[in-house]
Amino acid sequence: MGAELTKAALTGPAEIGIVVYPGALMSAIYGLTDMFQVAGMQSLEQGGAAAPQIRVSHWQLMEDGTVRKTVDTHPGPSSGLGALILPPTLADLPVGKRMGDLPAWIREQHAGGTTICSVCGGAYLLAESGLASGRTVTTHWSHQELIANRYRDVRIDTDKLVIDEGDIITAGGMMAWINLGLKLVDRLLGTAVMLATARFMLVDPGAREQSYYSVFAPRLDHGDPVILKIQHWLHGTSTKGVTLQMMAERAGLGERTFLRRFQKATGLNPTEYCQRLRIAKSRELLERSYLSIEQVAWQSGYDDTNAYRKIFRKILGVSPKEYRLRFSVVGGTRHATA
């Protein structure tokens, strides 16, 4: 957390934007705004005046189709959006021409390194932007068939409450904004502040206690568009069989140049980055399936189960079996059929 404190002191509060579009659920918009302000209070209480904060801004779709900032809790110069939330809706779906410049604006923020988050019906707006193409997203179960039919290249998994792919995070039901909000607090301010925020607001952090183990939150705001493009590709595809040569060719760079730029931008070499993506996927399988450890290893991109166990322990500090015993939300020991 020390690094986060130093970064916050140098660059100011991390900014989270919330989109306000016609029909958006205002309780979610104001609830998230309040949660992030409570988190700031808890951060100050724990870390003093130099503790990191969250800056909240509202970005409204205007009648002329443009997008403008209408609320800012910390007015002044901004270093850019760290995350952008597309809230749920109870009314007309956020699709079609009436969304104006909003889908293109969302794409622009993502291209600049902003993590895009959707809640419930906000997944339509994510799909309208094109960023859900080839991805697996979650939403409310009642939207599953509609989204699947409208956006054929989007995979829907409504069994999961939250799917975190690093650069895109989707949350399921209407009240899943609570889960998303706590996840972002955990990512930006740390687990201790997240738990204090949950206690203050009398909401259950539940399985988010897994955050006591390291969470892979890749750097996306490094300013290298070529490397960011490769990151987006890696997050949206299986990394099994992906080689340094393949990544370098896709980036249009020589291998040594690509390796140097990737390391500089992300702080990890490409092999380590792919390993962390695979382990993040395996954590979801361990938490939410009855698959055996061998099956989890295979579906995560590892042919060698022993190698998978060693890498898992190296990154998280526990074995896959210990992790499952502690964080499984399905219960029991029944294994799925291969």
Side-chain angles (χ1 to χ4, degrees), residues 245-264:
Q245 180 182 359
M246 291 169 60
M247 287 184 274
E249 289 178 353
R250 193 176 187 91
L253 300 171
E255 290 186 26
R256 293 180 63 181
T257 301
F258 173 76
L259 185 60
R260 174 178 55 80
R261 285 177 60 173
F262 194 97
Q263 178 93 35
K264 180 181 179 182

Side-chain angles (χ1 to χ4, degrees), residues 156-168:
I156 311 295
D157 185 354
T158 54
D159 290 335
K160 295 180 180 178
L161 183 61
V162 177
I163 296 178
D164 183 353
E165 292 193 339
D167 62 327
I168 292 178

Side-chain angles (χ1 to χ4, degrees), residues 293-295 297-298 302-311 320:
I293 300 300
E294 291 74 16
Q295 290 171 320
W298 175 261
Y302 291 94
D303 296 328
D304 186 335
T305 305
N306 288 331
Y308 162 70
R309 288 192 174 100
K310 289 178 182 178
I311 293 170

Side-chain angles (χ1 to χ4, degrees), residues 267-299:
L268 298 167
N269 67 47
T271 299
E272 292 170 334
Y273 197 96
C274 290
Q275 285 177 346
R276 289 181 178 271
L277 281 176
R278 292 175 192 148
I279 294 303
K281 179 178 180 180
S282 77
R283 289 171 66 175
E284 290 279 345
L285 294 172
L286 290 169
E287 292 165 16
R288 302 179 181 277
S289 79
Y290 291 104
L291 294 173
S292 68
I293 300 300
E294 291 74 16
Q295 290 171 320
V296 169
W298 175 261
Q299 291 201 19

